[in-house]
Amino acid sequence: MTLKKNYIAGEWVDGEDAIANINPSDTNDVIGEYAQAGTAQLEEAVLAARRAFPAWSTGSIQARSEILDRIGQAILDRRVELGRLLAREEGKTLPEATGEVARAGQIFKYFAGEVLQLRGELQPSVRPGLDVSVTREPLGVIGLITPWNFPIAIPAWKIAPALAYGNCVVFKPAELVPGSAHALAEIIVAAGVPAGVFNLAMGPGRVIGDALVNHPHVDAVSFTGSQNTGRNIAAAAIGRMAKVQLEMGGKNPLVVLDDADLDTAVECAVNGAFFSTGQRCTASSRLVVTAGIHDRFIEAVVERLNGLVVDDALKDGTHIGPVVDERQLQQDQDYINIGSDEGAQLLCGGERVERATPGFYLTPALFTETTADMRINREEIFGPVASVIRADDYEQALAVANDTEFGLSAGIVTQSLKHASHFKRFSQAGMVMVNVPTAGVDYHVPFGGRKGSSYGAREQGSYAREFYTTVKTAYTSA
Ligand code: NDP
């Protein structure tokens, strides 16, 4: 098996160590061996990015746009092969994985266009004879740290805007999913990105991630992952006054009102809570259901769950792939026990099951008779586990929906324009969905949350420029 290497200062280099990339649907299947960078290599990557910055940030924007377009096209051309790799290393189903790869390609193409859209402003000064211009400039070297649950889309939505606006990048992917990151790096290199502009440094977060966040030549850090890690990264970055952006977890509510269309409600709940094995920061883990539809809704959801196939992510007909690894599976099972101990009723699922190959298979678990203060309704589980909270009416449902330290995504299923409009305005989430699942977003509009879910500027679409550029105000005397 050939070692997949890091890409630093324009060269593919061995690491100080290597790890095996294991298929969660079949733990006998080793996808590849991936190099692990040491801190000296990380240092080299940052310095290479620093050296490359002057030429890249002032070079031809036509060339930059064409490079991003080539990256996007190459990803789209290889979506089937890359989708297979992604499903094999992360465990989401093949259609979900292929869709994620296509999304990554579209993001690069979007930012190829965005390169040419960067505008400034020219204003008269309050002092006669002066002009004032307001322009945007790149930041410098950006450290990008990504989680395992979207192995190509999240890297794409950080790398593409960083490069588009003229920055250089050191990218540290999650240890569990080096395959997609490495394939993306190969595509970026083949598209003609100059040496040093893009660097791939695979390695453990506590070593390589930490060194990246604390490096004095890293001007900004964009992170997606858990709250704990995010909090530490923010403290370190702010401590040395580097710009930082965090996207973290969610405990996203889906409110189902009495007047909801039942099929839509069931579709939103099952898709939002359990697809991608519930391993989405936007998953609807809290189903807040008003009394008049409560029993019918639960009956229909359970019927639907019983028909879902939990199996190998690469198999035709699988609806829910495995959990990503043993540690995450243990966390899911711990929370299932916690819910039962707290007095919630486990209506279905929550069992570890065996399939033809050894993997981390868990049936989708639904809790009922839960209350908003239970740990299963307050802490992010990050697996195929959801709970139903009964509410008397819309007002109580809204209060329960907002009763969380998180605020990423929130949904409502209703036919009432009045309640939908009120919910859109008063939900304390960064993204609100009406009659669609809480998970599943577009790439050309802002992505991000409030409260404990996010920190700093939004990601994606033209709003990405808020993080990846800095504003300059210049005065000129005529
Ligand atoms: P982690 O926070 O453990 O890891 C995220 C990334 O940070 C990984 O690349 C990890 O590296 C790295 N890292 C770990 N420790 C450090 C450190 N001390 N310094 C710098 N970097 C570090 O999260 P997971 O990858 O386990 O992802 C699951 C979590 O992420 C869930 O809680 C989920 O809610 C959240 N998430 C949020 C999203 C959002 O957009 N809001 C999207 C996706 C996930 P390594 O893998 O090597 O440990």
Side-chain angles (χ1 to χ4, degrees):
M1 201 170 272
T2 54
L3 178 74
K4 302 283 190 191
K5 300 181 179 185
N6 280 308
Y7 189 73
I8 293 171
E11 305 282 342
W12 292 102
V13 292
D14 288 345
E16 291 189 348
D17 204 350
I19 53 163
N21 186 5
I22 306 288
N23 177 352
S25 299
D26 176 4
T27 54
N28 292 325
D29 177 26
V30 178
I31 297 160
E33 295 285 333
Y34 290 80
Q36 300 284 283
T39 48
Q41 288 176 320
L42 191 271
E43 171 81 14
E44 254 182 75
V46 173
L47 295 181
R50 174 61 56 212
R51 284 194 301 275
F53 178 66
W56 178 250
S57 57
T58 57
S60 154
I61 58 168
Q62 180 67 34
R64 224 191 277 163
S65 174
E66 285 172 9
I67 287 172
L68 290 173
D69 190 64
R70 280 200 290 277
I71 297 169
Q73 194 56 52
I75 295 170
L76 290 171
D77 290 347
R78 291 173 57 186
R79 72 175 81 174
V80 173
E81 167 215 341
L82 294 174
R84 212 179 152 74
L85 172 64
L86 199 163
R88 197 171 154 212
E89 73 173 351
E90 198 270 348
K92 65 183 62 170
T93 64
L94 205 47
E96 289 171 330
T98 311
E100 183 185 331
V101 171
R103 163 66 55 98
Q106 287 152 351
I107 288 168
F108 274 97
K109 282 188 160 279
Y110 173 86
F111 281 103
E114 192 62 20
V115 173
L116 309 176
Q117 295 291 332
L118 205 54
R119 293 187 187 87
E121 295 158 28
L122 185 64
Q123 287 179 240
S125 165
V126 292
R127 288 172 280 163
L130 283 182
D131 278 339
V132 188
S133 69
V134 181
T135 51
R136 287 184 178 272
E137 295 181 2
L139 297 174
V141 177
I142 319 257
L144 304 178
I145 301 177
T146 56
W148 48 262
N149 64 333
F150 282 91
I152 195 163
I154 293 179
W157 82 50
K158 294 185 191 299
I159 296 167
L163 298 181
Y165 298 127
N167 302 285
C168 295
V169 160
V170 179
F171 166 42
K172 195 224 89 68
E175 273 184 286
L176 283 174
V177 289
S180 300
H182 190 273
L184 177 59
E186 283 181 329
I187 288 172
I188 291 172
V189 172
V193 173
V197 169
F198 169 83
N199 301 272
L200 171 70
M202 298 178 285
R206 65 194 174 283
V207 181
I208 294 303
D210 186 70
L212 188 56
V213 170
N214 285 294
H215 199 294
H217 284 308
V218 174
D219 300 290
V221 176
S222 178
F223 165 85
T224 300
S226 62
Q227 252 194 342
N228 275 347
T229 309
R231 201 172 282 128
N232 293 335
I233 285 178
I238 291 165
R240 61 180 188 81
M241 289 191 270
K243 198 170 181 181
V244 64
Q245 170 187 62
L246 312 172
E247 291 300 341
M248 299 169 288
K251 198 69 200 170
N252 310 292
L254 177 73
V255 169
V256 177
L257 296 185
D258 286 355
D259 68 4
D261 173 72
L262 187 62
D263 290 344
T264 305
V266 172
E267 182 52 32
C268 289
V270 171
N271 177 323
F274 300 110
F275 285 5
S276 297
T277 321
Q279 297 174 151
R280 294 188 283 198
C281 47
T282 48
S284 341
S285 47
R286 295 184 299 140
L287 308 173
V288 187
V289 186
T290 48
I293 196 171
H294 181 269
D295 294 357
R296 277 186 295 137
F297 171 77
I298 289 173
E299 195 184 328
V301 169
V302 170
E303 194 186 323
R304 183 79 202 286
L305 291 182
N306 287 336
L308 294 181
V309 176
V310 178
D311 207 334
D312 190 321
L314 294 173
K315 253 194 194 169
D316 268 355
T318 294
H319 298 110
I320 297 181
V323 172
V324 73
D325 72 351
E326 185 69 49
R327 193 183 63 131
Q328 184 66 47
L329 180 67
Q330 189 57 55
Q331 177 171 312
D332 298 346
Q333 290 183 301
D334 287 348
Y335 272 108
I336 289 165
N337 292 334
I338 289 167
S340 299
D341 292 346
E342 283 178 313
Q345 190 185 345
L346 181 61
L347 206 59
C348 68
E351 284 166 49
R352 184 170 188 169
V353 288
E354 296 195 351
R355 294 294 179 254
T357 49
F360 309 113
Y361 299 105
L362 183 67
T363 55
L366 185 71
F367 278 111
T368 56
E369 309 305 329
T370 79
T371 53
D373 58 345
M374 290 178 174
R375 278 184 67 190
I376 53 167
N377 284 327
R378 305 213 76 81
E379 297 168 20
E380 186 176 54
I381 301 173
F382 220 58
V385 185
S387 40
V388 178
I389 307 171
R390 190 195 298 259
D392 293 338
D393 50 24
Y394 167 73
E395 283 70 27
Q396 194 185 17
L398 174 67
V400 170
N402 285 335
D403 180 16
T404 169
E405 64 164 304
F406 294 103
L408 187 57
S409 182
I412 188 166
V413 187
T414 180
Q415 299 190 57
S416 154
L417 182 60
K418 179 180 146 202
H419 287 140
S421 305
H422 191 272
F423 190 78
K424 279 200 277 186
R425 172 63 186 85
F426 292 100
S427 162
Q428 294 165 2
M431 299 178 291
V432 179
M433 313 289 184
V434 178
N435 295 327
V436 282
T438 56
V441 294
D442 286 1
Y443 59 85
H444 66 303
V445 289
F447 176 95
R450 297 183 183 178
K451 301 198 272 189
S453 287
S454 300
Y455 181 85
R458 288 285 190 268
E459 299 199 80
Q460 303 207 53
S462 59
Y463 277 70
R465 69 180 60 155
E466 295 299 329
F467 180 72
Y468 290 101
T469 66
T470 183
V471 166
K472 179 173 281 172
T473 313
Y475 295 82
T476 309
S477 172

